[in-house]
Amino acid sequence: MRILPYFIIICFLASCGVKKTSTSDKERKISVAAANNARTGNVTEPTRTEERRAITSSTHTKADEIINTALSFSGTRYKFGGTTKKGMDCSGLLYISFGEHDVQLPRTSIHMAEEGHRVTVKNVEKGDLLFFKTSRGSKRINHVGMVVGTDNNEITFIHASTSRGVTVSSLRDGFWNQAFVKATRIL
């Protein structure tokens, strides 16, 4: 019986996410859209090569598809160990999102951090994973998010936080910037 309180405390400290206060309570919505290379100028009948290019340019990359799957969980409440719309944690969100597109990842953030290859922050792309140490004095990674955008030198990522559930945040945010450890590329 004496071990139970220690076990609960360890689970709480090792949980994915962190309570975060923010100056803005506005919920941001991000969607991923493929580039549309519409032709301008002459109105002529397109050739087969041009039709193939148009089809190729309007298809989503695997990263876009995985991001859209993750974004479909936006607003889902945080639940330690969860992997459903009823509740999920940060690693559960990515485990399910990548898994639905036949990319197998380990179930926990610490083990996900061992996959793929490391990339610098200035070279991150959509679909890359960002890893964090969110507890003060933490010696190991305990949180993960996936890059959904890199516009105007701002890196946005989707993750599951204990206070907001599945949400999109910015790496510019002071808390996330301080907690950041590394980025890896899986795809």
Side-chain angles (χ1 to χ4, degrees), residues 67-79:
I67 290 168
N68 284 332
T69 299
L71 288 170
S72 72
F73 290 103
S74 289
T76 299
R77 72 179 183 87
Y78 178 86
K79 181 180 179 187

Side-chain angles (χ1 to χ4, degrees), residues 66 82 95:
I66 293 169
Y95 177 79

Side-chain angles (χ1 to χ4, degrees), residues 100-165:
E100 285 190 17
H101 298 280
D102 300 321
V103 179
Q104 299 305 311
L105 288 177
R107 175 59 184 87
T108 62
S109 56
I110 188 72
H111 292 112
M112 283 182 190
E114 298 168 356
E115 300 293 315
H117 65 276
R118 196 172 190 148
V119 292
T120 62
V121 175
K122 67 179 182 178
N123 292 323
V124 297
E125 297 175 356
K126 292 189 300 184
D128 289 347
L129 301 183
L130 305 177
F131 295 95
F132 304 89
K133 292 180 185 175
T134 59
S135 301
R136 291 180 196 223
S138 178
K139 295 184 194 263
R140 63 181 223 158
I141 290 168
N142 65 345
H143 191 72
V144 62
M146 177 176 50
V147 175
V148 295
T150 57
D151 300 328
N152 301 325
N153 294 324
E154 180 178 18
I155 298 168
T156 52
F157 62 98
I158 189 164
H159 62 117
S161 74
T162 55
S163 61
R164 294 183 150 190

Side-chain angles (χ1 to χ4, degrees), residues 11-46:
C11 286
F12 178 74
L13 292 176
S15 70
C16 212
V18 67
K19 187 157 182 131
K20 176 180 170 277
T21 57
S22 175
T23 57
S24 172
D25 286 337
K26 293 180 185 176
E27 184 176 322
R28 292 191 280 174
K29 300 229 180 217
I30 293 180
S31 62
V32 178
N36 186 6
N37 296 333
R39 287 179 12 140
T40 57
N42 296 343
V43 181
T44 60
E45 194 67 33

Side-chain angles (χ1 to χ4, degrees), residues 39-57:
R39 287 179 12 140
T40 57
N42 296 343
V43 181
T44 60
E45 194 67 33
T47 65
R48 291 214 183 262
T49 306
E50 290 171 326
E51 286 176 0
R52 270 191 238 118
R53 281 188 198 138
I55 291 169
T56 303
S57 68

